[in-house]
């Protein structure tokens, strides 16, 4: 190996990984260093070595980036929630755009794609409408907070500067009440105790609040008193739920929810579309930037009111229903049955009757739709981080929509899929990155692909 654990090296940071860590080459060997910025020269201690790369710890800034800034979070370096607070917000946006461009060039083989500047926030703090934190005990005290990077060590915290203030308040109160009431805290190693996580969801535009207490089993000691205190503390509280998760797992929520007080869901709006949100619902964590993203999808879809649209990863129907009033017909498909149930309920909630939703893998459902004569003018895909199944991309190409709008939370898999779509007759016309996650290394993209005329 070129480097060994514990070795001290000096490194020029030349790029940025998807998690926000800086990356450079030491004698041709890739070294990833969190809390560093492309353009910096740093002294590093090698922490771990893999076959093709190493990870290091920043020891000293030999030459700092001019846009480096002091993080405002007191536990920033210890916590794994943010990766970019050490960089000015303007510089974060520039680096995110460069990351997208690098992926299209290196992975997609495209260096001529129009990639717009990232659409950022005027206030890039306190934007997350959802928090979920684990509980533990340290020196006899109840602790709650996010995990340290690459571990399950809980970083106890009173406040998180990217969370809605009510998220902080709810987490702090649940922690204090668990201590005062003597509610047994879950021990991950022994699989004992009761209180595992708390999840808080806020309807950013409605003010409604949900608290979900995740427990190891059905029992919740001092349940009535805890419910009474939480209800008294938060006038905004709309839904208080117990989620039962008895498995040894890193998955936060179990399959069963029990309503403790209030309603089973909260509501929020994106534009003039209303959505019901349950504990299990996938709903973007940055409500204001979600509208920015969906407005971009709408622009790229270029709907006149006469089109048929298919949303191939529709979730609870957010994009499909946001586009519905601009289209003749909208179809959504999603492999998670509960999500489709929510999508249908959200369509009814908004009085939308020309949106149709189906459960199943998109690459299996969409060919059936084609056989039934459903020919989309526009297809929307918003896949998970792993990107689209190649079979799905072939299915989209077989349906021959004029426009394909690809929403991606991972520009590396977006670039990979764009390369395949080029072979299938679709050209990337432009890409609009949107900063859904300020202070982190993540960037969302909305790409417009158009069908090339056959020669």
């Amino acid at each position: 190996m070129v480097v060994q654990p514990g070795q001290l090296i000096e490194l020029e940071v030349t790029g940025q990984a998807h998690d926000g860590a800086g990356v450079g080459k030491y004698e041709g060997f890739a070294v990833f260093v969190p809390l560093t910025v492309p353009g910096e020269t740093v002294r590093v201690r090698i922490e771990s070595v893999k076959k093709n790369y190493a990870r290091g710890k920043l020891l000293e800034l030999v030459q700092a980036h001019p846009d480096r800034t002091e993080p405002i979070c007191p536990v920033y370096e210890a916590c794994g929630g943010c990766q970019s607070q050490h960089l000015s917000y303007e510089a974060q946006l520039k680096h995110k755009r460069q990351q997208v461009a690098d992926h299209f060039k290196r992975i997609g083989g495209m260096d001529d794609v129009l990639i717009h500047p990232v659409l950022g926030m005027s206030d890039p703090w306190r934007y997350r409408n959802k928090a979920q934190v684990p509980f533990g005990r340290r020196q006899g005290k109840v602790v709650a907070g996010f995990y340290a990077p690459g571990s399950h060590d809980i970083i106890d915290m009173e406040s998180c500067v990217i969370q809605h203030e009510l998220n902080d308040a709810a987490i702090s109160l649940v922690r204090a009440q668990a201590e005062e009431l003597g509610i047994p805290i879950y021990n991950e190693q022994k699989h004992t105790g009761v209180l595992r996580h708390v999840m808080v969801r806020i309807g950013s535009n409605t003010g409604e609040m949900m608290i979900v207490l995740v427990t190891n089993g059905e029992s919740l000691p001092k349940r009535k008193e805890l419910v009474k205190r939480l209800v008294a503390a938060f006038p905004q509280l709309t839904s208080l739920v117990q989620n039962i998760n008895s498995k040894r797992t890193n998955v936060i929520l179990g399959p069963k929810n029990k309503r403790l007080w209030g309603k089973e869901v909260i509501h929020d709006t994106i534009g003039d579309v209303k959505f019901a949100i349950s504990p299990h619902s996938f709903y973007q964590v940055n409500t204001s930037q979600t509208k920015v993203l969906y407005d971009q999808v709408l622009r790229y879809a270029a709907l006149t009111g006469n089109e048929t649209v298919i949303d191939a990863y529709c979730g609870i129907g957010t994009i499909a229903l946001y586009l519905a009033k601009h289209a003749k017909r909208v179809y959504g498909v999603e492999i998670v049955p509960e999500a489709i149930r929510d999508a249908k309920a959200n369509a009814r909630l908004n009085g939308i009757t020309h949106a149709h939703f189906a459960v199943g893998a998109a690459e299996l459902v969409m060919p059936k739709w084609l056989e039934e004569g459903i020919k989309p003018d526009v297809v929307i895909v918003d896949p998970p981080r792993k990107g689209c199944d190649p079979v799905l991309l072939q299915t989209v190409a077989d349906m021959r929509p004029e426009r394909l709008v690809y929403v991606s939370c991972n520009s590396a898999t977006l670039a990979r899929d764009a390369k395949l779509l080029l072979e299938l007759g679709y050209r990337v016309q432009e890409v609009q990155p949107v900063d859904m996650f300020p202070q982190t290394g993540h960037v969302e993209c909305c790409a417009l692909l158009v069908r090339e005329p056959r020669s």
Side-chain angles (χ1 to χ4, degrees):
M1 287 292 180
V2 176
V3 294
Q4 301 293 331
Q7 183 177 345
L8 303 180
I9 65 171
E10 188 169 298
L11 186 73
E12 181 184 355
V13 181
T14 56
Q16 195 167 31
H18 68 86
D19 63 357
V23 58
K25 293 288 183 71
Y26 182 77
E27 297 183 8
F29 193 70
V31 180
F32 293 84
V33 188
L35 310 181
T36 63
V37 179
E40 292 186 326
T41 303
V42 295
R43 280 178 54 79
V44 174
R45 181 176 63 240
I46 300 299
E47 300 279 276
S48 62
V49 181
K50 304 295 184 182
K51 182 179 179 181
N52 297 317
Y53 68 93
R55 292 192 73 87
K57 179 179 177 62
L58 173 64
L59 299 180
E60 179 187 351
L61 290 166
V62 178
Q63 182 177 346
H65 194 284
D67 290 320
R68 178 175 279 273
T69 189
E70 192 66 27
I72 68 172
C73 175
V75 296
Y76 170 60
E77 292 191 18
C79 173
C82 296
Q83 303 89 36
S84 304
Q85 276 189 40
H86 58 284
L87 196 58
S88 73
Y89 188 54
E90 293 74 16
Q92 289 182 37
L93 298 180
K94 290 177 184 176
H95 281 288
K96 289 183 180 187
R97 183 195 176 281
Q98 189 59 50
Q99 177 182 315
V100 176
D102 290 345
H103 284 153
F104 269 91
K105 183 175 181 179
R106 180 170 52 85
I107 300 171
M110 307 173 199
D111 55 7
D112 58 348
V113 174
L114 174 59
I115 299 171
H116 294 285
V118 181
L119 296 175
M121 300 186 71
S122 57
D123 181 8
W125 305 99
R126 295 289 183 185
Y127 60 84
R128 286 188 63 95
N129 60 39
K130 174 185 174 185
Q132 43 192 17
V133 301
F135 285 91
R137 279 198 176 274
R138 186 177 302 128
Q139 298 176 339
K141 176 188 173 186
V142 177
V143 295
F146 300 109
Y147 291 127
S151 77
H152 275 209
D153 297 331
I154 296 172
I155 305 300
D156 196 28
M157 63 181 70
E158 294 297 328
S159 176
C160 173
V161 293
I162 63 171
Q163 295 287 347
H164 193 290
E165 290 89 341
L166 279 175
N167 291 346
D168 281 346
I171 292 165
S172 294
L173 185 61
V174 172
R175 174 176 48 202
Q177 295 305 319
E179 187 84 78
E180 185 176 330
L181 295 171
I183 298 171
I185 301 301
Y186 182 67
N187 183 303
E188 188 177 27
Q189 285 73 37
K190 298 179 180 179
H191 193 53
T192 57
V194 175
L195 190 58
R196 297 177 69 135
H197 284 79
V198 62
M199 180 172 78
V200 190
R201 307 192 81 151
I202 306 295
S204 299
N205 292 318
T206 62
E208 296 182 9
M209 178 186 193
M210 171 185 284
I211 298 176
V212 181
L213 306 170
V214 184
T215 59
N216 179 32
E218 300 267 354
S219 173
L220 177 55
K222 306 295 180 69
R223 174 179 59 84
K224 289 185 179 180
E225 184 61 25
L226 179 59
V227 169
K228 178 182 175 182
R229 295 183 184 187
L230 291 176
V231 170
F234 296 110
Q236 310 91 338
L237 188 61
T238 306
S239 174
L240 181 55
V241 176
Q242 179 186 1
N243 175 266
I244 293 92
N245 185 355
S246 301
K247 293 183 178 180
R248 284 182 177 267
T249 176
N250 290 331
V251 176
I252 293 174
L253 295 181
K256 183 178 179 182
N257 294 317
K258 183 191 298 185
R259 183 174 59 86
L260 299 179
W261 182 87
K263 301 177 181 178
E264 294 182 349
V265 300
I266 62 171
H267 294 90
D268 200 13
T269 59
I270 303 173
D272 58 1
V273 185
K274 191 174 186 180
F275 296 98
I277 305 163
S278 71
H280 284 90
S281 294
F282 174 79
Y283 187 76
Q284 293 278 11
V285 300
N286 188 333
T287 309
S288 63
Q289 287 295 89
T290 297
K291 185 177 186 302
V292 172
L293 177 66
Y294 288 4
D295 283 343
Q296 190 63 47
V297 173
L298 186 59
R299 278 191 286 272
Y300 281 168
L303 302 177
T304 65
N306 296 314
E307 291 83 8
T308 296
V309 179
I310 290 179
D311 183 355
Y313 294 86
C314 70
I316 66 170
T318 50
I319 294 179
L321 296 175
Y322 195 78
L323 301 186
K325 72 176 183 179
H326 304 278
K328 184 177 181 180
R329 291 180 297 178
V330 174
Y331 295 85
V333 57
E334 169 64 57
I335 202 165
V336 180
E338 294 81 6
I340 289 297
R341 182 192 63 206
D342 288 348
K344 291 178 177 179
N346 284 322
R348 291 192 297 271
L349 183 65
N350 290 277
I352 295 172
T353 58
H354 61 294
H356 312 277
F357 296 98
V359 177
E363 59 268 22
L364 300 179
V365 173
M366 287 168 64
K368 294 179 182 177
W369 283 344
L370 187 60
E371 290 175 6
E372 294 169 7
I374 298 169
K375 296 180 179 179
D377 303 286
V378 180
V379 170
I380 315 292
V381 295
D382 184 6
R385 289 192 63 81
K386 66 180 180 179
C388 292
D389 188 305
V391 178
L392 171 64
L393 298 179
Q394 181 64 60
T395 301
V396 172
D398 291 343
M399 300 187 97
R400 305 188 71 215
E402 291 298 322
R403 289 172 173 254
L404 169 62
V405 183
Y406 193 133
V407 178
S408 171
C409 60
N410 183 347
S411 56
T413 52
L414 167 60
R416 179 203 67 199
D417 290 351
K419 184 178 181 179
L420 180 54
L421 284 163
L422 187 62
E423 299 170 5
L424 295 173
Y426 284 83
R427 172 179 55 84
V428 181
Q429 184 162 304
E430 58 183 85
V431 179
Q432 177 60 72
V434 178
D435 194 21
M436 300 285 285
F437 313 102
Q439 318 308 328
T440 79
H442 304 293
V443 61
E444 198 93 1
C445 288
C446 183
L448 171 62
L449 295 95
V450 293
R451 185 164 64 89
E452 295 279 43
R454 290 183 177 177
S455 54

